[in-house]
């Protein structure tokens, strides 16, 4: 198991689903985890879960769609822990509809949260990470950012954009001991996908060679791997964790 003892991690969208699983798994590997999302009460529940397992964590209410909220949230994290060494940009939303019917607000909301949010959170913690000369930035993209998906031009653009950020930033910060990678999950059972109807779910699973949906823990384990010393020589990479749904 990876040893992240003494490391400070920040996970956005940590109140449920993949973000929650990442926070639990990072804490299990020994990291102290700052959990961020809009709903403070739900974050506190995850913090309690981590503490009950003898881990260390704290909750920070933060809206990644708001620059002001990111600035004050990141400031609070840095005041509390001094630095962020592992950043997991996971917060994300969907507003699915066909291009012909997509409202400007549906485009803007998804891009602001999934793409601009990740950029601004990264910027907010990057200076101390550069000074620290060690860091791991892990962006949660999606298989859809690689293949496209009807009804998701906004979401797919945001997730493909995260891959662009990953590869560009990886080149900018490599000399400072910071790696930047993306994880591209396939179809994972979380509250986000629980709203899909059964027919769509079955159709999706029929496209997965491994024949099942993935779990949030399986994504979290790949995140912990990328955060670990075992992944020290991996940067600018997009790790597909999708049961074979797409083979890049
Ligand atoms: P969920 O909807 O279950 O969880 C999303 C998390 O993001 C919640 O903690 C939510 O908390 C937080 N969040 C949403 N908007 C904001 C915001 N403006 N500011 C801060 N936090 C926010 O999603 P999943 O766990 O399924 O997905 C997590 C990530 O993985 C997303 O980026 C998603 O696109 C990606 N992904 C998921 C896949 C899947 O099949 N589930 C497949 C591929 C990628 P709150 O509402 O309290 O803010």
């Amino acid at each position: 198991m990876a040893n992240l003892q003494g490391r400070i991690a920040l996970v956005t969208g940590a109140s449920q689903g993949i973000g929650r699983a990442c926070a639990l798994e990072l804490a299990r590997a020994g990291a102290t985890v700052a959990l961020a999302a809009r709903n403070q009460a739900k974050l506190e529940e995850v913090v309690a879960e981590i503490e009950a397992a003898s881990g260390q964590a704290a909750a920070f209410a933060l809206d990644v769609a708001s620059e002001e909220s990111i600035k004050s949230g990141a400031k609070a994290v840095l005041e509390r822990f001094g630095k962020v060494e592992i950043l997991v940009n996971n917060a994300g939303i969907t507003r699915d509809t066909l291009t012909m019917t997509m409202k400007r607000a549906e485009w803007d909301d998804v891009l602001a949260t999934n793409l601009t949010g990740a950029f601004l959170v990264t910027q907010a913690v990057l200076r101390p990470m550069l000074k620290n000369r060690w860091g791991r930035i892990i962006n949660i993209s999606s298989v859809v950012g690689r293949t496209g998906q009807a009804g998701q031009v906004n979401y797919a653009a945001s997730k493909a954009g995260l891959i662009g950020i990953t590869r560009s930033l990886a080149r900018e910060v490599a000399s400072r001991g910071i790696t930047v990678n993306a994880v591209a999950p396939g179809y994972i059972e979380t509250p986000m996908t629980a709203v899909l109807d059964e027919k769509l779910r079955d159709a999706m699973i029929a496209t997965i060679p491994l024949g099942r949906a993935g779990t949030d823990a399986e994504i979290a384990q790949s995140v912990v791997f990328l955060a670990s010393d075992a992944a020290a020589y991996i940067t600018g990479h997009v790790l597909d964790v999708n049961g074979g749904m797409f083979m890049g």
Side-chain angles (χ1 to χ4, degrees), residues 115-207:
L115 187 60
T116 309
F119 167 69
L120 292 173
V121 173
T122 302
Q123 235 184 6
V125 302
L126 194 57
R127 200 177 297 279
M129 195 184 276
L130 289 166
K131 274 203 190 128
N132 192 42
R133 291 194 164 265
W134 191 95
R136 298 281 195 263
I137 298 171
I138 300 153
N139 296 316
I140 306 299
S141 177
S142 167
V143 64
V144 164
R146 284 155 90 65
T147 62
Q149 177 71 34
Q152 291 197 310
V153 291
N154 48 1
Y155 183 78
S158 73
K159 294 299 181 180
L162 280 176
I163 294 174
I165 289 181
T166 299
R167 292 185 172 142
S168 304
L169 184 60
R171 292 178 190 277
E172 288 184 18
V173 298
S175 65
R176 307 294 184 90
I178 300 171
T179 67
V180 189
N181 292 291
V183 173
Y187 175 56
I188 311 300
E189 269 166 359
T190 69
M192 181 185 268
T193 49
V195 298
L196 301 175
D197 70 49
E198 209 167 317
K199 252 178 143 181
L200 190 59
R201 181 181 182 276
D202 291 348
M204 204 94 88
I205 288 176
T207 68

Side-chain angles (χ1 to χ4, degrees), residues 13 15-16 18 38-39 63-64 90 141 155 159 186 188 190:
S15 58
Q16 63 181 40
I18 291 169
R38 291 166 300 183
N39 187 324
D63 179 355
V64 301
N90 164 80
S141 177
Y155 183 78
K159 294 299 181 180
I188 311 300
T190 69

